[in-house]
Amino acid sequence: MFFIDTIELEGLGNRHYLAGGKQAAVAVDPPRDFDQVLAAAVRRGVRITHVVETHIHNDYVTGGLELARVTGAAYLVPAGAHVSFARVPVADGDAVTVEGGLELRAVATPGHTPHHTAYVLAEQGRPVAAFTGGSLLIGTVGRPDLVEPRLTEELARAQHASAHRLATELPDETAVLPTHGFGSFCSSAQAEGDNTTIGKEKTANTALTTDVDSFVAELLTGLEDVPAYYAHMGPTNAGGPAPVDLTAPAVADAAEIAARLAAGEWVVDLRNRVAFAEGHVAGSFNFEADGKIATYLAWMIPWGKPVTLLAESPEQLAAAQRELVRVGIDRPAAAATGTPQEWVPEGTSLASFPRSTFAGLAGQSTDGIVLDVRRDSERASGYIEGSVHIPIHDLHKRLDEVPEGTVWVHCAGGLRAGIAASMLAAAGRDVMAVDDGFDSATDAGLTVVTG
């Protein structure tokens, strides 16, 4: 009998796996903070004998090297990946025995990266699961544009071929277990569903239902912007990430917070956007701890810039710190917990800004500026007539492009509008955060341009 445990990291939209039998197990694409993987092994009463990477990841810092060191496991990395640490290079067709009757076989699946490798778990010679990393996802494939722009079309064609290879070589009942595709920007399209098999993918995955030329054309047309921090993940992973450090940051008092703001550093308030709008430290930015903080903060902050975190509780701070180490923001410069009144010098007033809805926007009597901070693909499906468009990940670099006047800022649901409103307010702008679903814009009487 075999088992497969899934470790899901919702913030980055990834899944990691522990698979094995009665005594031994293999960890697939482990996260930087691999304590959940170790805990799963303890629950199962197994020893991790192998740690495998499907590819050099571009969206998160791997915990594979350190997990292998801690457990004494063999560290399997695709042979074509250029790395600067000792590992077991894996080529197409290589196989390792996890334990008696349970085998893991490497299958070359280039496309997401040139060296991408999937791993097929077989019990008594029968394939039962394929760990497909960034190759075959649920209904789609991993994006091919994260390595080198000149290789994008070539890799897109390789993605198509790799998907077909897996579909041809594996039985229909084989479980498909990707690392990406659950909200990750490594996915070339939004993946839907929670689980799948080779048979299901044959009928639903565009890579398997579309000819190669049509597939490539559609794939390349639909690619989103690449998060800026991705440029740092590959080199970090290829060089061998340092062990993770989740000890609490140094505590900052009100004077230090003010000094860090004055020095131009980022001070990030982790509270929800409603609480932030009602009262916050002037100049601070709002990235909700529960709102993909790793993706958006890492995407927007100048790389290496010191960041101070402000949290409601030690638990909220620790959770955010854990999210951030996954994308290489290792040590906050400082942190504080409590209430915003405790984060400003005595006698200093808190800053605030109002919130509204699309109905409120429709009923405004002034000539406000409507700022849309959604991605290009979202705006392409419809936008408010006359609105200015600056995607959230570009806003901090383009604040001077926002016209004068009160800014009514919106996104698709309110989260990104909250981030944008905090940045505009920190820059001294009059802002109104539209905390509402974009579907409400038409119902509110606003003119939404489509087509």
Side-chain angles (χ1 to χ4, degrees), residues 347-371:
T348 301
S349 299
L350 297 177
S352 64
F353 53 78
R355 298 165 51 251
S356 190
T357 62
F358 283 109
L361 172 58
Q364 66 159 323
S365 58
T366 60
D367 294 327
I369 307 302
V370 179
L371 176 63

Side-chain angles (χ1 to χ4, degrees), residues 19-338:
K22 292 182 178 180
Q23 297 178 315
V26 56
V28 181
D29 288 342
R32 180 96 179 274
D33 53 321
F34 53 75
D35 50 347
Q36 294 180 69
V37 182
L38 290 176
V42 169
R43 286 194 300 271
R44 291 286 185 177
V46 296
R47 183 170 69 90
I48 298 175
T49 56
H50 298 82
V51 177
V52 303
E53 303 282 8
T54 56
H55 59 296
I56 301 300
H57 303 283
N58 288 290
D59 65 326
Y60 70 93
V61 179
T62 181
L65 180 62
E66 184 65 7
L67 177 59
R69 186 191 69 80
V70 167
T71 60
Y75 190 28
L76 279 57
V77 178
H82 300 292
V83 299
S84 57
F85 49 81
R87 89 291 192 203
V88 178
V90 177
D92 184 47
D94 287 351
V96 296
T97 299
V98 181
E99 65 177 42
L102 200 60
E103 183 182 79
L104 196 70
R105 176 172 59 89
V107 179
T109 47
H112 187 49
T113 65
H115 60 265
H116 192 284
T117 300
Y119 297 88
V120 175
L121 184 69
E123 184 183 44
Q124 304 299 338
R126 177 179 64 91
V128 292
F131 300 102
T132 56
S135 55
L136 190 65
L137 311 186
I138 300 179
T140 185
V141 296
R143 59 193 298 171
D145 61 328
L146 301 179
V147 177
E148 160 61 55
R150 290 171 296 183
L151 295 178
T152 298
E153 182 173 347
E154 176 185 334
L155 290 177
R157 292 182 178 278
Q159 277 288 54
H160 188 271
S162 292
H164 279 264
R165 180 184 180 186
L166 291 171
T168 300
E169 295 184 3
L170 298 176
D172 283 357
E173 63 271 19
T174 308
V176 174
L177 302 173
T179 301
H180 306 309
F182 308 95
S184 168
F185 280 89
C186 271
S187 177
S188 63
Q190 183 60 48
E192 296 183 0
D194 193 54
N195 56 76
T196 192
T197 62
I198 288 292
K200 290 179 181 178
E201 291 307 301
K202 284 181 178 180
T203 63
N205 195 303
T206 54
L208 299 175
T209 60
T210 311
D211 68 87
V212 62
D213 290 332
S214 300
F215 167 78
V216 169
E218 182 179 351
L219 178 65
L220 298 186
T221 299
L223 292 173
E224 300 273 10
D225 289 341
V226 178
Y229 72 91
Y230 276 27
H232 305 280
M233 299 297 96
T236 296
N237 288 326
V244 67
D245 181 1
L246 291 173
T247 57
V251 177
D253 60 15
E256 182 177 350
I257 292 169
R260 289 188 176 279
L261 282 168
E265 297 182 10
W266 279 35
V267 173
V268 171
D269 191 324
L270 302 171
R271 297 174 302 142
N272 71 67
R273 58 186 180 270
V274 176
F276 182 89
E278 291 176 350
H280 58 269
V281 178
S284 62
F285 301 145
N286 180 217
F287 288 81
E288 294 186 43
D290 295 332
K292 281 187 170 288
I293 181 176
T295 295
Y296 286 112
L297 179 55
W299 195 338
M300 298 170 69
I301 191 170
W303 198 252
K305 197 174 189 68
V307 59
T308 296
L309 301 178
L310 308 178
E312 289 178 322
S313 66
E315 293 76 18
Q316 186 182 63
L317 174 61
Q321 189 178 350
R322 181 179 285 267
E323 289 273 349
L324 293 175
V325 299
R326 293 169 181 162
V327 292
I329 301 179
D330 281 11
R331 297 294 301 161
T337 58

